[in-house]
Amino acid sequence: MDTAFWTLKDEGLLPRKYFEVDFPVIVTRKLHSIKFKSLLSKTNLDLHSEETLQMDGQMLDSKRYAIIGADLRDLPELEEKLKKCNMNTQLPTLLMTECVLVYMTPEQSANLLKWAANNFETAMFINYEQVNMDDRFGQIMIENLRRRQCDLAGVETCKSLESQKERLLSNGWETASAVNMMELYSRLPRAEVSRIESLEFLDEMELLEQLMQHYCLCWATRGGSELGLKEITC
């Protein structure tokens, strides 16, 4: 139910085209929301004529936005659907996964990472998911999820920041970095931290710190000289 496309549009930050991929059942629900909520559907109609809008039960394709129902473990199907929506792999591309790879086996996530590295000449890959899952806190997280019939098939890759980086480097990416979310949070501008902490009262700061030490942000690049990363400053 992510709304990043609409936020980017409102802020004038849309890329050439924005793609989303999720399981077909999730995409069907989201398409229903887009179709029947005018604030969502109007954005797509503002960006192109109705004649160029293609929509069925598991896919929407327009000039600036596409959402595709697919299983990331089925790479031939994924590639076919992306091509149908005019994915241009020659353009610099930002790829993002949020707590996705951890639900695949290590072999399946490695195949996806290799596929991305081989298909996009100039790209950055950002992954947000668990880390430090070998310690006691991590084991409790795993046990709680298992009790809810939610198995983390790829948890062995989430042992450390090093194991996260190694997965990226061993599957075709040229550079890789990773930080846990507590470190990232400590680097945010104080004004942004104040804004976040004003949203909801929190008196369990130690628990939040423990939790954020068990999630991380990893990023990798290919063709980095074309990405303009040197122009980005902290």
Side-chain angles (χ1 to χ4, degrees):
M1 298 295 110
D2 185 75
T3 57
F5 166 76
W6 289 270
T7 301
L8 291 171
K9 194 266 181 182
D10 288 346
E11 296 179 0
L13 295 172
L14 275 183
R16 180 79 62 86
K17 189 165 183 176
Y18 186 102
F19 290 80
E20 283 190 62
V21 180
D22 212 322
F23 283 122
V25 65
I26 302 297
V27 170
T28 298
R29 289 175 55 201
K30 188 163 185 174
L31 288 175
H32 184 271
S33 296
I34 293 171
K35 186 175 181 180
F36 292 102
K37 295 185 186 296
S38 60
L39 280 174
L40 303 180
S41 59
K42 184 177 182 298
T43 297
N44 274 303
L45 292 174
D46 284 347
L47 293 172
H48 62 273
S49 67
E50 289 193 50
E51 290 76 23
T52 60
L53 176 64
Q54 298 181 44
M55 185 172 178
D56 62 29
Q58 295 181 359
M59 186 184 75
L60 179 152
D61 183 36
S62 64
K63 184 178 180 182
R64 303 292 295 276
Y65 175 68
I67 180 169
I68 297 163
D71 187 331
L72 294 175
R73 296 167 297 187
D74 186 345
L75 295 175
E77 178 199 30
L78 173 65
E79 190 164 355
E80 179 186 345
K81 291 185 175 182
L82 288 173
K83 285 180 179 177
K84 189 176 180 180
C85 293
N86 301 305
M87 164 73 82
N88 186 348
T89 58
Q90 304 303 307
L91 291 176
T93 303
L94 175 63
L95 304 150
M96 297 176 63
T97 54
E98 300 175 72
C99 292
V100 171
L101 303 184
V102 70
Y103 291 104
M104 303 178 181
T105 66
E107 182 182 6
Q108 289 165 341
S109 66
N111 288 339
L112 178 64
L113 291 168
K114 284 176 188 172
W115 171 85
N118 290 334
N119 280 274
F120 296 91
E121 292 184 8
T122 305
M124 185 171 192
F125 190 99
I126 298 177
N127 179 40
Y128 167 73
E129 68 179 2
Q130 291 90 335
V131 74
N132 297 326
M133 297 299 281
D134 269 355
D135 67 15
R136 183 59 189 149
F137 190 91
Q139 291 302 305
I140 291 172
M141 286 175 64
I142 293 170
E143 290 164 12
N144 287 338
L145 287 166
R146 280 184 181 149
R147 277 198 290 269
R148 300 174 195 172
Q149 283 73 54
C150 184
D151 191 36
L152 302 180
V155 73
E156 69 179 72
T157 317
C158 302
K159 291 180 179 179
S160 66
L161 295 176
E162 287 304 314
S163 66
Q164 289 280 6
K165 290 189 289 186
E166 175 56 29
R167 172 170 57 178
L168 293 162
L169 292 171
S170 64
N171 286 296
W173 293 85
E174 296 169 353
T175 70
S177 302
V179 294
N180 72 50
M181 295 306 293
M182 192 62 228
E183 182 180 350
L184 184 65
Y185 191 70
S186 70
R187 295 184 187 180
L188 291 176
R190 291 312 305 169
E192 180 64 7
V193 172
S194 297
R195 185 193 70 80
I196 292 169
E197 294 182 353
S198 71
L199 295 175
E200 185 174 344
F201 176 71
L202 177 69
D203 59 357
E204 296 286 348
M205 196 62 196
E206 287 185 6
L207 182 59
L208 177 64
E209 289 180 5
Q210 271 189 310
L211 192 61
M212 289 204 289
Q213 286 165 359
H214 289 81
Y215 282 85
C216 66
L217 199 68
C218 316
W219 60 98
T221 64
R222 277 185 60 82
S225 61
E226 303 299 324
L227 286 171
L229 294 179
K230 290 181 180 178
E231 299 168 17
I232 300 175
T233 57
C234 297

